[in-house]
Amino acid sequence: MSDEFTTTVYYDDDADVSTIDDETVAVLGYGSQGHAHALNLHESGVDVIVGLREDSSSRADAEDAGLRVETPDVAAGEADRVVMLVPDTVQPFVYEAIEDELDAGDTLQFAHGFNIHYGQIEPPEDVDVTMVAPKSPGHLVRRTYERGEGTPGLIAVYQDATGNTKEESLAYAKGIGCTRAGVIETTFKEEVETDLFGEQAVLCGGVTEMVRTGFEVLVDAGYSPEMAYFECLNELKLIVDLMYEGGHMGMWDSVSYTAEYGGLTRGEEVIDRDGMEKILEEVQNGEFAREWINENQANRPSYKQYRAAEENHQLEVVGSRLRELFSWGGDAEAQTEEAPADD
């Protein structure tokens, strides 16, 4: 098996921020990603305007940071590059407000390809459509940039009207610090479908369901909720940290032989591969996208029910009490808090 990358990876030497020196960039949104992109670009010497509603709670924060703030339509009208960093569910409505401000040769840029891939936004053919997507929460994009480091990212070109889209996307990626760590070239289709699948089957859906079910199995068998919490949730961070640092083998090398043998021989019994493949199929054929779009149009009734059930689950009640025992409990929440996402 080859140890070479199967796709191209770009670094600082492959990009030049001066490529977009003559551009004005409108960053629409000042939430998790928006504040990081706007501030990093500004400090990289790029002319940035932040686009926010008149009543946005983030306007004061952006202005206090020394950034110019306008309404999204005004910002887009003055910009050569319009960057959509509001939530996916809001983007089609924001696009309606700014689409008349896009001129031939402008760039419409995203950090996630959902609305382009599933046809919720259909840009004119004479603008560039690109993606620059840090693979990290926004607060880390900002924090690592300030330390002179960076987070890995993705670039993708969906529509290249000018012939300069890739070069300018790399310049933008360098401006927010991603080329310091490495930027992988992908496509809108690949980014969206792998991202949704990963969230649902592993990162957000699979892990939480596994933790919740494991907790329930132990409690239903008569073990204390506190012990079930420690074994099924608290120690998960230790394992994930080991995998993050050294892959699966780094983790296996750090746990006991008993844990390693048990994991290697029993892990596949709790994984439903057919279910995972069904999730991927629903992402690929658009079924999940249609469901989520309809859910938002109906004011998210199912989402609210699922969230309420999660919030009231015994796992959450027990965990809330136990976390108060940890000396780092208060600091941990502050460290993971991000800027608002709904501006």
Side-chain angles (χ1 to χ4, degrees):
M1 183 180 295
S2 172
D3 59 359
E4 303 257 333
F5 284 113
T6 60
T7 186
T8 306
V9 183
Y10 298 95
Y11 297 97
D12 270 354
D13 289 344
D14 302 307
D16 183 358
V17 178
S18 69
T19 304
I20 56 174
D21 271 355
D22 60 350
E23 287 190 355
T24 296
V25 176
V27 174
L28 305 188
Y30 200 72
S32 175
Q33 291 290 336
H35 86 287
H37 287 228
L39 290 170
N40 292 4
L41 287 170
H42 177 68
E43 292 175 16
S44 292
V46 178
D47 182 22
V48 178
I49 308 174
V50 176
L52 294 171
R53 305 183 313 270
E54 289 284 4
D55 61 348
S56 171
S57 60
S58 297
R59 289 184 73 93
D61 290 339
E63 290 171 343
D64 288 346
L67 298 169
R68 179 183 166 200
V69 182
E70 301 287 353
T71 58
D73 58 325
V74 172
E78 294 190 28
D80 307 287
R81 179 176 300 267
V82 178
V83 186
M84 282 280 194
L85 294 178
V86 294
D88 290 338
T89 52
V90 178
Q91 286 182 13
F93 305 104
V94 174
Y95 180 73
E96 287 181 7
I98 64 96
E99 63 178 324
D100 289 341
E101 307 299 333
L102 292 173
D103 298 323
D106 282 354
T107 299
L108 181 63
Q109 183 172 301
F110 298 83
H112 180 44
F114 185 97
N115 285 297
I116 291 292
H117 184 56
Y118 293 115
Q120 299 304 293
I121 292 176
E122 298 182 358
E125 295 181 357
D126 58 2
V127 304
D128 293 336
V129 181
T130 185
M131 180 195 310
V132 179
K135 296 303 290 179
S136 166
H139 71 283
L140 289 179
V141 175
R142 178 60 181 156
R143 191 183 305 163
T144 55
Y145 179 90
E146 290 180 299
R147 294 200 302 252
E149 302 167 357
T151 61
L154 307 174
I155 63 162
V157 175
Y158 180 80
Q159 191 166 280
D160 187 11
T162 65
N164 302 316
T165 310
K166 180 177 174 179
E167 180 184 12
E168 293 177 353
S169 297
L170 283 170
Y172 183 101
K174 185 171 184 176
I176 62 173
C178 286
T179 52
R180 295 173 179 175
V183 172
I184 295 174
E185 187 172 10
T186 185
T187 65
F188 272 61
K189 179 181 187 296
E190 183 175 59
E191 184 274 335
V192 172
E193 294 180 357
T194 57
D195 185 72
L196 293 178
F197 172 81
E199 290 170 349
Q200 295 170 31
V202 182
L203 305 175
C204 302
V207 168
T208 54
E209 187 63 30
M210 184 175 61
V211 167
R212 187 190 310 108
T213 301
F215 175 88
E216 291 173 350
V217 166
L218 286 177
V219 171
D220 290 347
Y223 300 99
S224 72
E226 291 78 14
M227 285 300 297
Y229 177 87
F230 278 120
E231 291 301 327
C232 295
L233 193 153
N234 185 70
E235 293 193 28
L236 181 64
K237 181 184 187 305
L238 308 178
I239 299 300
V240 170
D241 284 349
L242 290 171
M243 290 194 294
Y244 180 84
E245 294 167 6
H248 281 188
M249 292 311 300
M251 182 271 291
W252 294 132
D253 288 342
S254 299
V255 300
S256 69
Y257 289 123
T258 307
E260 182 177 5
Y261 180 78
L264 290 171
T265 60
R266 300 299 194 272
E268 65 180 23
E269 294 184 18
V270 300
I271 299 300
D272 178 7
R273 186 182 177 95
D274 290 341
M276 281 194 171
E277 290 176 349
K278 181 175 183 292
I279 288 171
L280 179 57
E281 181 181 352
E282 291 176 351
V283 167
Q284 292 172 327
N285 65 23
E287 183 175 340
F288 170 77
R290 290 188 293 273
E291 177 184 326
W292 179 229
I293 291 164
N294 291 336
E295 177 75 9
N296 280 280
Q297 291 174 345
N299 198 27
R300 304 184 186 177
S302 297
Y303 166 87
K304 292 173 182 176
Q305 287 183 334
Y306 283 121
R307 186 173 176 82
E310 188 85 349
E311 186 175 14
N312 295 316
H313 194 281
Q314 186 182 17
L315 175 72
E316 287 300 303
V317 176
V318 171
S320 179
R321 291 201 309 266
L322 287 176
R323 287 191 293 273
E324 293 178 359
L325 303 178
F326 302 150
S327 61
W328 44 259
D331 293 338
E333 292 190 6
Q335 289 172 5
T336 57
E337 183 178 354
E338 292 187 25
D342 290 325
D343 286 312

